[in-house]
Amino acid sequence: MASTSIGDSVRPDPHQATPIYRQLYQRFRAAMLDGRLAPGARVPSVRSLASELNLSRGTVELAYQLLVSEGYLLPRGPAGTIVSPRLPRSPVVASEAATKTPSSVQPTAGALSPPPPLRLGLPSLDAFPAKSWTRLTLEQLRAQAEADLHYPPAAGHPVLREALVSYLGVSRGIVCRPEQIVITNGYRDALGLICQTLLAPEDLGWFEEPGYFIARERLLAAGMRLAPVKVDAGGLDVKAGCREAEQARFAVVTPTHQSPTGVTLTLERRRALLAWASRRQAWIIEDDYDSEFRYRGHPIPALKSLDHDDRVLYTGTFSKVLFPGLRLAYLVVPTTEIARFHAVLARLGHGCPNLSQSVVAEFMAAGHFARHLKRMRALYRQRRELLHEALVRHLGGSVHINLQAGGMHLLAELPEVSNDAIIARRARESGLGGHALSEWYLGRPQRSGLLLSFTNLKDARQTDDLMRRLARIVETTS
Ligand SMILES: Cc1ncc(COP(=O)(O)O)c(C=O)c1O
């Protein structure tokens, strides 16, 4: 294939404030997106483009690296670098067509499609500080030493583990040492690791009813048996757990913001749960997935902060506070179990990419993280209000909304007899996200409702339109 001569159309402007490598990156990207550079086309070598544009090779290399890391370019060794064949052909045309005939346009194979509106579990993707993130990533990339190219430390990068010790101390009231922290590939990975290290197949555990179905599936896949323990306005009913499955080996809880109902575990129940675990030498797995987002009242310290007998395995995730594509979460293990965890980690050859861990650590150390959280809290408060108002306007007669203190979604409760699963399925078919509450039950569902995320709502108009569509579906589903 002939090399594409693209030099003139990507020539950077030395008078612009944007760094030269960034201009190059942007111009290449624009050329690919508007079809001037077709998928599969070969781009000039670093050396020839640098010489044609009178730039240093390092500058061109940096722009290419960025394009490669984002999937626009594909390096093929001595055969040169090409525009990724997976990029859609002239997607501008495709998106125009999509607005007219949505059903006839299939997503291009390999391209990631954007999540539907109201989709649960996602932070606000449009408000992520992508510029600072990219800058830090490039800085970390440039600073990479040989050791960074080695296999990552099984328990996590030391800089991130140390950053988390400070963060958890200040924001969650947890006193721990870096050796107690294990960086994992998401919460699910943390659960798998706990099962491998402290539990055995057939072990029985309490599981919130309703509860986070992905954790449930992960535990069942690891051979655990689960006893559903009902959740009411005070969170997990610890007395019911003791009555029905006192002998359990572990309990999984979301104490700050119960998933999915949003209630907070009362102090009395926190104490009762810890007392049960001490009495039975059972483990408590605390899933503290979105505690950073609280809109009224004081922040609630983690259950782990009351754990004087070291029975709690605390887990947090970067999926909500940064973005889930990162696949980074963390686990704080009891001091008595550090050696056991490290032995299992070494055997598994566990580890997460060094680069992303060091970028997160730097993001925290440089103050971006705290600023980002503050901005997101304000934004989510507004978007939550938008959703609440539109729900009341369009579905006020059919649903009950119990605004909880925090979280990233609302629960619109339907009368017990409603078929929320059919409503959620019809909503999905018409391009809306959201879940049916009944599907979060392990046993017979006791309540019915729709779980709707507000984090990615754009404005009042869009929210109003979404709720009008949802109301039509609710009204026409018997
Ligand atoms: C209740 C709950 N816990 C934990 C997580 C985090 O999971 P992960 O770290 O695998 O993204 C989520 C994500 O949606 C969640 O809803």
Side-chain angles (χ1 to χ4, degrees):
M1 200 182 304
S3 172
T4 311
S5 179
I6 185 87
D8 273 342
S9 59
V10 296
R11 188 179 298 280
D13 176 355
H15 305 296
Q16 272 191 22
T18 313
I20 301 290
Y21 82 87
R22 187 89 202 155
Q23 291 187 42
L24 255 188
Y25 156 82
Q26 288 165 342
R27 283 164 201 198
F28 262 104
R29 209 169 145 254
M32 288 180 242
L33 293 176
D34 67 15
R36 276 175 292 148
L37 266 178
R42 202 162 125 196
V43 296
S45 69
V46 169
R47 184 206 293 255
S48 74
L49 189 64
S51 132
E52 184 182 347
L53 300 179
N54 205 14
L55 299 173
S56 79
R57 277 197 229 166
T59 304
V60 178
E61 215 157 62
L62 206 54
Y64 275 19
Q65 269 175 13
L66 201 53
L67 290 160
V68 168
S69 70
E70 292 183 2
Y72 289 100
L73 290 183
L74 192 67
R76 294 189 312 173
T81 297
I82 59 167
V83 176
S84 169
R86 294 183 153 212
L87 279 188
R89 277 191 183 266
S90 191
V92 174
V93 175
S95 69
E96 277 166 12
T99 54
K100 289 173 199 145
T101 52
S103 57
S104 66
V105 180
Q106 298 300 320
T108 311
L112 303 179
S113 38
L118 309 170
R119 161 79 193 262
L120 277 194
L122 287 179
S124 175
L125 301 177
D126 61 334
F128 184 72
K131 259 192 188 158
S132 324
W133 184 262
T134 308
R135 187 170 47 73
L136 288 183
T137 306
L138 283 167
E139 280 170 17
Q140 293 298 313
L141 203 56
R142 278 198 213 104
Q144 272 193 333
E146 250 177 53
D148 297 300
L149 308 181
H150 192 24
Y151 285 101
H157 199 304
V159 287
L160 183 54
R161 293 162 80 197
E162 271 156 32
L164 281 166
V165 167
S166 320
Y167 173 68
L168 292 174
V170 172
S171 79
R172 307 301 298 126
I174 295 173
V175 179
C176 63
R177 312 201 307 257
E179 308 84 86
Q180 285 177 263
I181 295 189
V182 180
I183 309 297
T184 64
N185 193 323
Y187 171 56
R188 293 157 226 194
D189 185 27
L191 281 178
L193 192 60
I194 295 169
C195 292
Q196 294 239 9
T197 311
L198 300 180
L199 303 171
E202 296 293 308
D203 273 356
L204 181 67
W206 296 0
F207 200 80
E208 292 169 331
E209 180 80 333
Y212 181 42
F213 61 93
I214 289 182
R216 189 171 76 208
E217 298 307 320
R218 184 69 189 82
L219 292 165
L220 292 172
M224 304 297 130
R225 288 180 304 129
L226 298 180
V229 177
K230 84 171 182 331
V231 167
D232 60 21
L236 180 90
D237 186 341
V238 178
K239 275 194 187 140
C242 292
R243 202 168 49 239
E244 290 155 23
E246 165 79 16
Q247 78 286 12
R249 291 276 304 119
F250 67 98
V252 185
V253 269
T254 47
T256 309
H257 180 240
Q258 202 272 331
S259 172
T261 63
V263 298
T264 304
L265 188 66
T266 62
L267 183 59
E268 192 192 344
R269 290 187 181 182
R270 284 170 192 246
R271 294 212 172 104
L273 182 62
L274 291 165
W276 164 77
S278 297
R279 186 165 74 242
R280 301 294 311 182
Q281 289 296 285
W283 297 112
I284 299 170
I285 301 170
E286 175 175 16
D287 174 10
D288 202 29
Y289 63 107
D290 72 354
S291 57
E292 287 82 358
F293 304 120
R294 224 175 154 78
Y295 314 110
R296 61 167 197 255
H298 296 294
I300 306 259
L303 174 68
K304 176 76 188 161
S305 68
L306 301 173
D307 176 28
H308 305 303
D309 211 15
D310 231 2
R311 303 309 307 168
V312 177
L313 294 121
Y314 175 90
T315 68
T317 178
F318 285 107
S319 291
K320 313 293 170 196
V321 285
L322 293 177
F323 56 97
L326 195 55
R327 302 317 300 135
L328 287 180
Y330 46 94
L331 168 63
V332 181
V333 308
T335 45
T336 49
E337 307 303 321
I338 296 173
R340 273 171 88 184
F341 270 94
H342 285 204
V344 171
L345 286 166
R347 219 174 51 232
L348 293 179
H350 189 270
C352 300
N354 284 325
L355 179 62
S356 35
Q357 293 187 70
S358 58
V359 175
V360 175
E362 189 51 32
F363 195 78
M364 294 173 92
H368 297 290
F369 189 58
R371 271 194 298 280
H372 177 53
L373 287 180
K374 194 166 166 211
R375 280 184 55 230
M376 290 306 98
R377 264 190 291 270
L379 183 70
Y380 291 171
R381 181 179 282 121
Q382 281 171 17
R383 291 186 176 179
R384 181 168 103 133
E385 201 40 46
L386 277 186
L387 180 60
H388 185 214
E389 284 171 9
L391 264 171
V392 170
R393 205 162 35 248
H394 293 287
L395 278 149
S398 341
V399 302
H400 169 73
I401 308 148
N402 189 352
L403 268 192
Q404 298 295 342
M408 300 163 74
H409 68 264
L410 288 184
L411 166 57
E413 246 184 279
L414 291 156
E416 211 184 296
V417 287
S418 345
N419 204 332
D420 59 356
I422 295 185
I423 296 173
R425 202 198 63 224
R426 288 188 59 202
R428 268 197 299 278
E429 285 164 2
S430 76
L432 306 181
H435 276 216
L437 176 63
S438 64
E439 291 174 336
W440 291 54
Y441 281 83
L442 183 60
R444 206 172 76 78
Q446 303 296 317
R447 291 158 73 184
S448 179
L450 299 171
L451 300 160
L452 307 167
S453 167
F454 47 79
T455 51
N456 282 289
L457 293 174
K458 301 275 173 267
D459 51 33
R461 216 161 118 196
Q462 183 223 22
T463 311
D464 195 69
D465 177 53
L466 292 172
M467 289 309 106
R468 184 175 298 119
R469 284 163 60 190
L470 188 64
R472 223 172 292 137
I473 295 171
V474 172
E475 280 155 20
T476 53
T477 306
S478 54

